[in-house]
Amino acid sequence: MLKEIKRKVLECAVKAENMGLCQHRSGNFSIRDEDTGLICITPTGMDRSEMTYHDIVVVNMNAEVVEAETLHRPTSEVTMHLKIYEARPDVNAVVHTHSKFALTFAILNKPIPAIVTELMHLGCKEGYIPVAPYGRPATPALAESVLKPLQISDVALMEKHGAVAVDKDIKEALTKAAYVEELAEIYYNTLTILGPGKEPDYVDKDELQKWAYPKEIKLLPGEN
């Protein structure tokens, strides 16, 4: 079972790099095994082009390495992943990226508002992508900083650092991270066109919560 989970972690990490969401060994990815509670997580300081699933490290919730086939250490930000899993029992996958436009707003400590309705897919209960306050990388302060934002959203910017996305499924977490980067780019372009000191109209958070699959569409019996 862990072998398959390791493969999924590796697949996500490589796809994230190919999508331009993280480069130069930045970013980290993990999945929590529902059966054992163990975490499969990317190693530290390794090129994803050279990584195999054997390099994915297994840790427990006490940050103890329980399996390292190739003796690689887990990412130095493993504590952040563990704290998220502890705070969000509904989450089984964490994706941490360093995409350029998202990082731009993280540097500015500027939340990304609901400029388009796609924000409804990101679990943003307050109608914006929040920013976690600065914490030095690989420290307990960083791990703690993301917990409050992730109580109101499934995605968050990390001040002067990057972005994080969570979900039950790692493919969905990666999709959310990709949405964050896309929305950040759209917001950046919009602000550039509007000029200094101006903001676009936002979609109200209540409006975001009203979306539902159209009842006019007649589905097949048993289809969700």
Side-chain angles (χ1 to χ4, degrees), residues 113-115 186-187 190-191 194 198-203:
I115 50 173
I186 293 169
Y187 189 36
T190 303
L191 292 176
L194 288 174
K198 296 182 179 180
E199 289 279 341
D201 292 333
Y202 308 148
V203 180

Side-chain angles (χ1 to χ4, degrees), residues 183-194:
L183 290 170
E185 183 175 4
I186 293 169
Y187 189 36
Y188 177 89
N189 290 338
T190 303
L191 292 176
T192 300
I193 293 171
L194 288 174

Side-chain angles (χ1 to χ4, degrees), residues 67-194:
E67 183 177 294
E69 293 184 63
T70 56
L71 300 182
H72 282 287
R73 295 178 295 174
T75 171
S76 61
E77 291 174 348
V78 64
T79 304
M80 179 184 74
H81 290 246
L82 299 181
K83 285 291 186 181
I84 292 171
Y85 289 128
E86 186 179 274
R88 291 282 304 268
D90 60 313
V91 164
N92 287 322
V94 176
V95 167
H96 169 43
T97 58
H98 286 220
S99 53
K100 294 177 181 177
F101 284 95
L103 183 53
T104 299
F105 289 104
I107 290 169
L108 294 172
N109 193 16
K110 185 174 177 59
I112 299 175
I115 50 173
V116 293
T117 56
E118 276 77 7
L119 209 73
M120 65 188 175
H121 299 302
L122 305 180
C124 299
K125 298 175 183 177
E126 298 300 320
Y128 62 88
I129 299 173
V131 184
Y134 176 75
R136 188 183 310 125
T139 66
L142 174 74
E144 292 290 340
S145 73
V146 302
L147 299 184
K148 187 174 180 180
L150 290 179
Q151 291 301 316
I152 63 168
S153 176
D154 289 342
V155 296
L157 304 179
M158 301 165 66
E159 186 179 358
K160 299 178 177 64
H161 192 130
V164 61
V166 301
D167 198 272
K168 284 184 174 293
D169 179 83
I170 198 165
K171 289 184 179 179
E172 292 302 316
L174 180 61
T175 298
K176 288 176 180 177
Y179 264 129
V180 170
E181 177 64 2
E182 181 178 326
L183 290 170
E185 183 175 4
I186 293 169
Y187 189 36
Y188 177 89
N189 290 338
T190 303
L191 292 176
T192 300
I193 293 171
L194 288 174

